[in-house]
Amino acid sequence: MRQFLMILAVTIFVIVGALDTTHARDRSGVLKGSDVIGMKVEGTDGKKLGTIKDLVIDPLDGDVDYAVLDYGGFLGVNDKYFAVPWEALKISDDRKKALLDVTKQDLKQAPGFNKKHWPDLSTRDQTIVIYEFYGVPLPEEEPKDAK
């Protein structure tokens, strides 16, 4: 009987240790990049616009400037990417999708780019075009000596 309990205890320990905990529910209240990348994005009409393919992070302050939306195409062919200001997205309460105040028709007119030819998203001119399209207030420009 003692040997059986020992084997049972070791078996349980091995099974528990082998469980994949990477998908454990995060209760910390933070939003991890790994949760956002791949997240579905819906428009105001409730239709799927695409998925978040990447995040653009400002290397100076660590802020997320843009979520890169992958739209269109089939099996990765003819996809178009859109840099969406982080402030333009709203993450759903269940954290399973992001909501964007545009429709598919609107998105066809949005400033986008080829996934193999990214624009310089750090320029002020590019920022103005993108932020104005999504109706988001422009980020404040800090003096260069402020950082």
Side-chain angles (χ1 to χ4, degrees), residues 64-115:
V64 175
D65 287 343
Y66 302 100
V68 178
L69 174 64
D70 182 5
Y71 170 77
F74 181 71
L75 297 175
V77 179
N78 292 327
D79 288 15
K80 191 171 183 182
Y81 281 5
F82 298 92
V84 177
W86 184 250
E87 295 82 4
L89 291 169
K90 180 185 181 314
I91 305 299
S92 65
D93 291 338
D94 64 3
R95 295 184 175 194
K96 293 188 178 186
K97 61 186 171 190
L99 308 171
L100 182 59
D101 191 16
V102 297
T103 64
K104 281 187 176 188
Q105 196 62 32
D106 297 331
L107 199 56
K108 291 178 182 178
Q109 306 304 315
F113 57 96
N114 181 296
K115 65 182 176 181

Side-chain angles (χ1 to χ4, degrees), residues 3-144:
Q3 187 176 17
F4 172 75
L5 291 175
M6 253 331 222
I7 292 172
L8 180 63
V10 169
T11 304
I12 291 172
F13 178 76
V14 169
I15 290 172
V16 170
L19 289 176
D20 182 6
T21 59
T22 58
H23 297 292
R25 184 178 168 108
D26 183 6
R27 299 184 192 280
S28 66
V30 298
L31 187 61
K32 298 181 293 189
S34 59
D35 293 335
V36 176
I37 295 172
M39 186 179 279
K40 292 177 182 168
V41 179
E42 275 186 12
T44 50
D45 55 3
K47 294 188 178 173
K48 183 180 173 191
L49 297 175
T51 57
I52 295 176
K53 207 61 164 172
D54 215 333
L55 299 173
V56 177
I57 300 169
D58 184 326
L60 298 177
D61 61 20
D63 288 344
V64 175
D65 287 343
Y66 302 100
V68 178
L69 174 64
D70 182 5
Y71 170 77
F74 181 71
L75 297 175
V77 179
N78 292 327
D79 288 15
K80 191 171 183 182
Y81 281 5
F82 298 92
V84 177
W86 184 250
E87 295 82 4
L89 291 169
K90 180 185 181 314
I91 305 299
S92 65
D93 291 338
D94 64 3
R95 295 184 175 194
K96 293 188 178 186
K97 61 186 171 190
L99 308 171
L100 182 59
D101 191 16
V102 297
T103 64
K104 281 187 176 188
Q105 196 62 32
D106 297 331
L107 199 56
K108 291 178 182 178
Q109 306 304 315
F113 57 96
N114 181 296
K115 65 182 176 181
K116 293 183 181 178
H117 300 97
W118 284 50
D120 184 353
L121 296 171
S122 66
T123 67
R124 188 70 178 165
D125 291 342
Q126 188 72 39
T127 300
I128 291 169
V129 169
I130 293 170
Y131 274 69
E132 284 182 353
F133 178 83
Y134 292 100
V136 178
L138 285 165
E140 296 296 320
E141 229 179 337
E142 292 186 31
K144 297 205 186 289

